[in-house]
Amino acid sequence: VARCYINIGSTYLMLNKIKEAEQVFLLALRIAKEIGSKDNARLSFENLSKCDSALGKWKGAYEYHKLFKESNDSIFNAASDNKIAEMAAKYESDSKEAIAKIIQDKKDAIAIEELNFQNFQRNAFVGGFVLMSILAGVSYNNFRRKKKDNKIITTQKELVEQKQKEILDSIEYALRIQTA
């Protein structure tokens, strides 16, 4: 409704019906103040300044123009404050995201480091197991070879003892023949 009165007042102003325009702008200003519409109040102040200027009321025109500028600045400052608040919220959000990303990166790095350590442990265990298996295989092979060598040595010892007994028997027999 306030905006409609402002439009009607602007039409009266264009038709050079200054008194009617001033009445309608005052009505629009009253409604704008009641509902707290800063933008409609700003437009009303601007148009009332134009009306007083057209009527030669310089003091009133100056006062309304001053009120127009104050309300214009107030709206601009409110918009700026909103923009600043938005930017601050975005900065805070971005900062939180950046911090969260850094924390996540650190957690990922720790997880990778732990995974690498676990892989190292697993590889060391597998390597140790393989080494122990090779060592056990070599030890078993040496054990078998020693057992085989001992068997050969035992067989050769028995053979040598048998030959020695045969030689001694032969020497004893030769000695008996010589003695006889």
Side-chain angles (χ1 to χ4, degrees):
V1 174
R3 186 61 63 118
C4 288
Y5 280 135
I6 291 170
N7 290 338
I8 292 169
S10 295
T11 305
Y12 279 141
L13 198 58
M14 286 188 335
L15 294 173
N16 213 15
K17 295 183 177 182
I18 308 299
K19 284 286 184 192
E20 291 87 354
E22 185 176 26
Q23 293 302 317
V24 176
F25 287 135
L26 286 171
L27 185 58
L29 179 61
R30 186 173 55 83
I31 293 171
K33 284 184 177 180
E34 284 178 14
I35 63 171
S37 174
K38 290 181 180 182
D39 191 44
N40 287 330
R42 178 185 66 83
L43 291 172
S44 296
F45 287 138
E46 180 183 21
N47 287 313
L48 283 168
S49 172
K50 289 178 184 177
C51 287
D52 279 355
S53 179
L55 292 172
K57 299 180 186 175
W58 304 113
K59 185 174 181 181
Y62 172 73
E63 291 298 323
Y64 281 127
H65 189 70
K66 197 164 93 172
L67 291 170
F68 162 69
K69 280 296 190 187
E70 286 175 5
S71 61
N72 201 26
D73 290 346
S74 169
I75 291 171
F76 177 73
N77 287 342
S80 294
D81 289 346
N82 287 341
K83 188 83 168 170
I84 289 170
E86 275 181 36
M87 291 172 70
K90 185 173 179 355
Y91 173 75
E92 188 174 323
S93 172
D94 290 347
S95 295
K96 285 180 181 178
E97 286 178 13
I99 290 171
K101 186 179 183 316
I102 290 170
I103 290 171
Q104 187 61 40
D105 288 346
K106 284 184 180 180
K107 286 180 181 178
D108 291 346
I110 290 170
I112 288 170
E113 193 173 304
E114 286 178 3
L115 184 63
N116 288 340
F117 183 70
Q118 288 173 353
N119 286 341
F120 173 75
Q121 281 183 326
R122 183 196 66 223
N123 293 342
F125 176 74
V126 169
F129 183 74
V130 167
L131 187 64
M132 290 299 288
S133 298
I134 291 170
L135 188 61
V138 168
S139 295
Y140 180 71
N141 194 23
N142 284 342
F143 173 74
R144 280 185 37 220
R145 186 177 300 138
K146 224 177 204 183
K147 194 174 180 183
K148 187 178 174 186
D149 289 346
N150 281 343
K151 195 174 190 181
I152 291 171
I153 290 172
T154 304
T155 307
Q156 286 179 351
K157 182 180 176 188
E158 287 173 0
L159 187 63
V160 166
E161 284 176 356
Q162 186 182 3
K163 293 288 180 184
Q164 183 182 7
K165 186 176 179 197
E166 285 176 12
I167 292 173
L168 285 177
D169 286 345
S170 172
I171 291 175
E172 264 183 48
Y173 181 70
L175 189 64
R176 269 193 258 158
I177 289 178
Q178 275 182 349
T179 324

